[in-house]
Amino acid sequence: MQYNPGWNSSSVNLLHVCAVGPGDSLHYVWSSIGAPAVLLVATQSPSSALRVNWTQLLSPSPAGAIWIDPPDSVVYSTAVVFTKLFEFSEAKPLGELFYPTYDLAEFSWDSLNHTLNHTALTAELSGVPATDPGGGFSNGSLAFRVTAYEAAGRDGRLPGLLHTADSSQLEFILAGVSPRGNSSRFVLEVATVEEAGAVRRLRSERSIDDEYTPTIFEVLSLLAESQNGSSTLGFLQWKATAYGSQSPRREDGIQCRAQGLQAANWTLPTSSIVQAYFGDSLGSTCTISALNVSFGGEEGEVYQEKRYLSWSVLLGFGEPPRDTFSPLVISITAVALGTPLAMLLLGSCLVLLAQRRRYSEYEPIN
């Protein structure tokens, strides 16, 4: 993990997380320059390196300021940008009432270096609006908590996402922010950038197994697939829930919905790492898609009570991890289904044996 590689100032935030394998390397570049974003690059070289031209990156024209060396080692690259936070109230009988949007590109962000933990492989990016006329953020903040992994496993806190060493987890946190309505609900806008040859698709999977995330039976994945659908290049994966506590429990669950993936007909915020890496192709060959993720129950009162919201999402390359039944659940199921079946077979055998004994007392009639 490197903070602002090649730059001594902490006035901006750029975190480079690199995972090196025997024949390849994976790069995650997190930044709050412009809107908060992460750049994901997979290479076929274990010695590939991130290069940053800081003077150009911080200029009004950052195209080409970020690249991977050697350039021909790159096999796949994509970006995820967190652009806006919407707030609306389902006021009756007037219907939905939208408040002024929080543009995350206009936020003021704390130095990420203060929260960087090289042992736990975590960092937190926290910010507030540069101008806040309504005072909603006077006692609160919006944060993105990043976690990288060295091995496969499962996160110890709800929703207990399964991860691999190739993936990273992002936790979106809204804490202490005053809602502007009595039944406010929040919506986070997430944009993705794909180069030519790749498309995004939203997939929903349901399972009867809620062992690791009680009462939640749906997993959503935002997949980046090759144009012909032959392979999955990358993913965002999350459970259909958020939580209203720093130490989440089942009863702290907040409803989470994905409102459909759409092609974005707007440009991304300027002066970001996305423009710095993709350059001129961002407005020509690249495809930008956007997804809204909403938080709140039918009445939207959960955040009103808790004043805390956390949503976890896993990012990575290739196919997303798939949950399977644990040996404990398999054993319990086997016992629950096997015991009645064994009793039925044993009972049938006893009945047949009893019938044979009863009829064997009689001599056959000549």
Side-chain angles (χ1 to χ4, degrees):
M1 300 180 74
Q2 297 175 294
Y3 175 70
N4 287 353
W7 187 255
N8 294 325
S9 173
S10 60
S11 59
V12 295
N13 291 308
L14 189 146
L15 177 66
H16 175 221
V17 182
C18 184
V20 181
D24 56 7
S25 57
L26 307 175
H27 300 268
Y28 292 83
V29 185
W30 304 85
S31 178
S32 62
I33 302 173
V38 56
L39 176 67
L40 297 86
V41 184
T43 73
Q44 56 185 1
S45 169
S47 59
S48 63
L50 175 72
R51 306 299 185 195
V52 181
N53 183 330
W54 281 97
T55 303
Q56 187 176 354
L57 177 62
L58 300 178
S59 71
S61 302
I66 294 178
W67 70 98
I68 298 293
D69 191 24
D72 57 0
S73 66
V74 176
V75 293
Y76 173 65
S77 56
T78 184
V80 181
V81 188
F82 302 93
T83 52
K84 296 176 182 178
L85 180 69
F86 300 100
E87 181 184 353
F88 69 94
S89 177
E90 293 185 324
K92 296 179 181 179
L94 301 177
E96 295 182 350
L97 171 64
F98 278 85
Y99 297 99
T101 302
Y102 292 116
D103 189 344
L104 302 190
E106 303 298 330
F107 270 46
S108 174
W109 302 95
D110 296 336
S111 174
L112 186 147
N113 195 35
H114 298 154
T115 63
L116 187 58
N117 188 325
H118 289 273
T119 303
L121 300 180
T122 60
E124 184 172 314
L125 185 65
S126 179
V128 296
T131 57
D132 186 20
F137 278 80
S138 58
N139 295 312
S141 65
L142 182 152
F144 295 95
R145 183 178 298 155
V146 178
T147 304
Y149 300 104
E150 292 183 315
R154 186 181 298 278
D155 192 65
R157 301 168 66 247
L158 289 177
L161 294 176
L162 182 67
H163 62 258
T164 67
D166 298 341
S167 58
S168 294
Q169 180 171 292
L170 178 71
E171 186 178 1
F172 166 70
I173 302 170
L174 201 62
V177 178
S178 300
R180 291 172 284 186
N182 293 329
S183 301
S184 283
R185 294 174 62 179
F186 290 94
V187 179
L188 179 65
E189 184 180 71
V190 183
T192 62
V193 180
E194 294 294 335
E195 291 184 305
V199 293
R200 284 280 177 175
R201 178 175 67 89
L202 182 64
R203 182 177 72 189
S204 173
E205 292 182 314
R206 294 184 177 272
S207 170
I208 62 171
D209 183 17
D210 69 338
E211 176 184 6
Y212 301 106
T213 313
T215 72
I216 304 302
F217 301 94
E218 184 181 14
V219 178
L220 295 107
S221 301
L222 186 57
L223 305 175
E225 298 179 331
S226 57
Q227 200 77 42
N228 56 11
S230 60
S231 62
T232 301
L233 305 172
F235 66 87
L236 279 75
Q237 184 185 65
W238 65 94
K239 297 287 185 74
T241 184
Y243 291 96
S245 171
Q246 296 185 35
S247 301
R249 300 169 297 172
R250 179 182 60 83
E251 54 267 30
D252 297 319
I254 297 176
Q255 190 177 64
C256 172
R257 292 178 177 175
Q259 298 180 351
L261 181 68
Q262 297 181 351
N265 57 1
W266 38 261
T267 57
L268 293 174
T270 57
S271 303
S272 73
I273 61 170
V274 179
Q275 278 85 2
Y277 180 81
F278 290 100
D280 296 334
S281 64
L282 192 61
S284 55
T285 58
C286 289
T287 302
I288 303 175
S289 303
L291 174 77
N292 286 341
V293 182
S294 65
F295 311 100
E298 293 298 330
E299 300 299 327
E301 297 176 353
V302 177
Y303 182 82
Q304 185 78 22
E305 301 170 1
K306 306 284 187 178
R307 296 292 174 94
Y308 189 89
L309 167 69
S310 69
W311 173 63
S312 299
V313 56
L314 193 72
L315 303 92
F317 299 89
E319 281 283 349
R322 288 179 179 268
D323 265 322
T324 57
F325 291 104
S326 69
L328 176 62
V329 171
I330 294 175
S331 301
I332 294 174
T333 305
V335 171
L337 298 178
T339 301
L341 182 61
M343 294 179 65
L344 180 62
L345 292 174
L346 180 61
S348 300
C349 292
L350 292 176
V351 169
L352 291 175
L353 185 60
Q355 288 179 342
R356 286 188 63 185
R357 286 182 176 178
R358 185 173 60 186
Y359 289 116
S360 63
E361 296 174 359
Y362 295 92
E363 294 292 333
I365 299 176
N366 190 352

